[in-house]
Amino acid sequence: MADITINISTRELLKQYAEKYETADFINGDPSWFMHQVSGAKNQEAMAFIAASLSYGSRQQFMKKIQLMLDWAQGDVDGWVREGRYADHLHQGDKSCFYRLYTCDTMYRFLSTYQQLLNEYDTLGDYVRSKANDTLGAVDAICRYFGSRGISVIIPKDTTSACKRVCMFLRWMVRTNSPVDLGLWADFIDRRSLIIPLDTHVLQQSERLGLITSKTASMTAARKLSAVLATIFPDDPLKGDFALFGHGVNS
């Protein structure tokens, strides 16, 4: 899929940025911080999924909302969802705003659907494992489950869009040997299949670097960019996510 030639200086610069910025310090102020605040694989997975799902708009604002949910769960995020304890704080039919486009009712229905999935499959990882063996299949499986239950305002209904937040969650779940990512799903999804979490900013930045020519942040563009990053980081394309972050900080 990669048909773009990257010059040597850009390759070396991105490799340097990847090494410099993929450190434990990266999580400070990043939504990935929350999954490091809970114990146990189930809690980390659940916290990561909720944090990723809320990560859009103003970072200062969505981080407060993720923290609120962590506080409500008192660290037991998996049990909080699985046992329906979110209903102590969020109520069906409550149209008051929770965060931007998400009403309290939206969040209630999102968590109810997630609870149903946990009761059916035990974990989100077990659900994905039963449906997919690569990243695109995993994104599609997550989108189909939530989209078919009317939760597309939070989880895209299909993989037409870049599905940035789902791809970010999958990076957290799949990549190993990282001070940031958890690698909980590394045994059934190959990190070489990961897809860059793509938004307009990353797209424009990648275009300036000559990595991509696409103008729209679609899944097609995300996969093309991921293929280009795989020519720089063959065994671990999403090291490029940290590289692009570093380039953004320094440009």
Side-chain angles (χ1 to χ4, degrees), residues 150-217:
I151 316 297
S152 58
V153 68
I154 297 181
I155 306 295
K157 64 182 179 180
D158 56 37
T159 57
T160 302
S161 71
C163 300
K164 174 191 173 178
R165 288 170 288 163
V166 181
C167 289
M168 180 174 69
F169 168 68
L170 283 163
R171 194 202 83 200
W172 296 346
M173 291 296 101
V174 172
R175 289 187 71 248
T176 54
N177 303 316
S178 171
V180 180
D181 302 326
L182 299 174
L184 299 177
W185 297 3
D187 62 328
F188 65 97
I189 295 180
D190 191 326
R191 67 184 182 181
R192 291 172 295 183
S193 77
L194 285 169
I195 299 168
I196 189 82
L198 184 65
D199 59 17
T200 301
H201 172 71
V202 172
L203 186 71
Q204 292 172 345
Q205 188 178 345
S206 300
E207 186 181 17
R208 288 195 298 271
L209 282 166
L211 304 179
I212 196 168
T213 58
S214 303
K215 303 295 184 183
T216 304

Side-chain angles (χ1 to χ4, degrees), residues 134-145:
D134 65 8
T135 298
L136 184 61
V139 175
D140 179 65
I142 292 170
C143 289
R144 279 190 290 107
Y145 192 94

Side-chain angles (χ1 to χ4, degrees), residues 18-247:
E19 291 304 317
K20 180 177 180 180
Y21 286 96
E22 189 180 2
T23 68
D25 289 340
F26 178 89
I27 68 174
N28 295 324
D30 188 76
S32 60
W33 180 85
F34 291 96
M35 65 194 187
H36 292 277
Q37 307 312 306
V38 296
S39 300
K42 287 184 176 181
N43 275 324
Q44 288 182 315
E45 180 183 295
M47 185 74 260
F49 185 56
I50 290 170
S53 298
L54 279 165
S55 295
Y56 83 102
S58 166
R59 181 166 296 214
Q60 182 180 6
Q61 296 302 315
F62 72 64
M63 293 285 280
K64 292 178 182 177
K65 294 300 183 179
I66 300 169
Q67 181 66 58
L68 177 63
M69 299 185 82
L70 176 57
D71 291 344
W72 283 344
Q74 297 182 315
D76 181 21
V77 186
D78 176 77
W80 184 69
V81 176
R82 190 183 302 272
E83 297 162 15
R85 285 184 269 131
Y86 57 84
D88 293 341
H89 307 278
L90 298 161
H91 305 111
Q92 187 172 15
D94 182 354
K95 300 299 184 181
S96 59
C97 178
F98 181 79
Y99 173 63
R100 295 192 66 170
L101 297 176
Y102 301 173
T103 65
C104 291
D105 175 71
T106 303
M107 291 303 300
Y108 177 89
R109 290 186 295 108
F110 166 65
L111 292 170
S112 294
T113 300
Y114 188 18
Q115 179 187 18
Q116 179 183 345
L117 184 149
L118 295 181
N119 288 333
E120 289 178 21
Y121 293 94
D122 190 42
T123 69
L124 180 53
D126 288 332
Y127 164 71
V128 172
R129 186 194 300 266
S130 73
K131 303 293 182 182
N133 57 15
D134 65 8
T135 298
L136 184 61
V139 175
D140 179 65
I142 292 170
C143 289
R144 279 190 290 107
Y145 192 94
F146 285 85
S148 67
R149 291 159 176 81
I151 316 297
S152 58
V153 68
I154 297 181
I155 306 295
K157 64 182 179 180
D158 56 37
T159 57
T160 302
S161 71
C163 300
K164 174 191 173 178
R165 288 170 288 163
V166 181
C167 289
M168 180 174 69
F169 168 68
L170 283 163
R171 194 202 83 200
W172 296 346
M173 291 296 101
V174 172
R175 289 187 71 248
T176 54
N177 303 316
S178 171
V180 180
D181 302 326
L182 299 174
L184 299 177
W185 297 3
D187 62 328
F188 65 97
I189 295 180
D190 191 326
R191 67 184 182 181
R192 291 172 295 183
S193 77
L194 285 169
I195 299 168
I196 189 82
L198 184 65
D199 59 17
T200 301
H201 172 71
V202 172
L203 186 71
Q204 292 172 345
Q205 188 178 345
S206 300
E207 186 181 17
R208 288 195 298 271
L209 282 166
L211 304 179
I212 196 168
T213 58
S214 303
K215 303 295 184 183
T216 304
S218 63
M219 180 57 73
T220 298
R223 293 182 70 200
K224 284 181 179 178
L225 178 55
S226 301
V228 171
L229 292 172
T231 69
I232 304 172
F233 307 100
D235 187 51
D236 189 8
L238 258 56
K239 283 189 79 70
D241 202 9
F242 296 93
L244 291 172
F245 170 83
H247 184 268

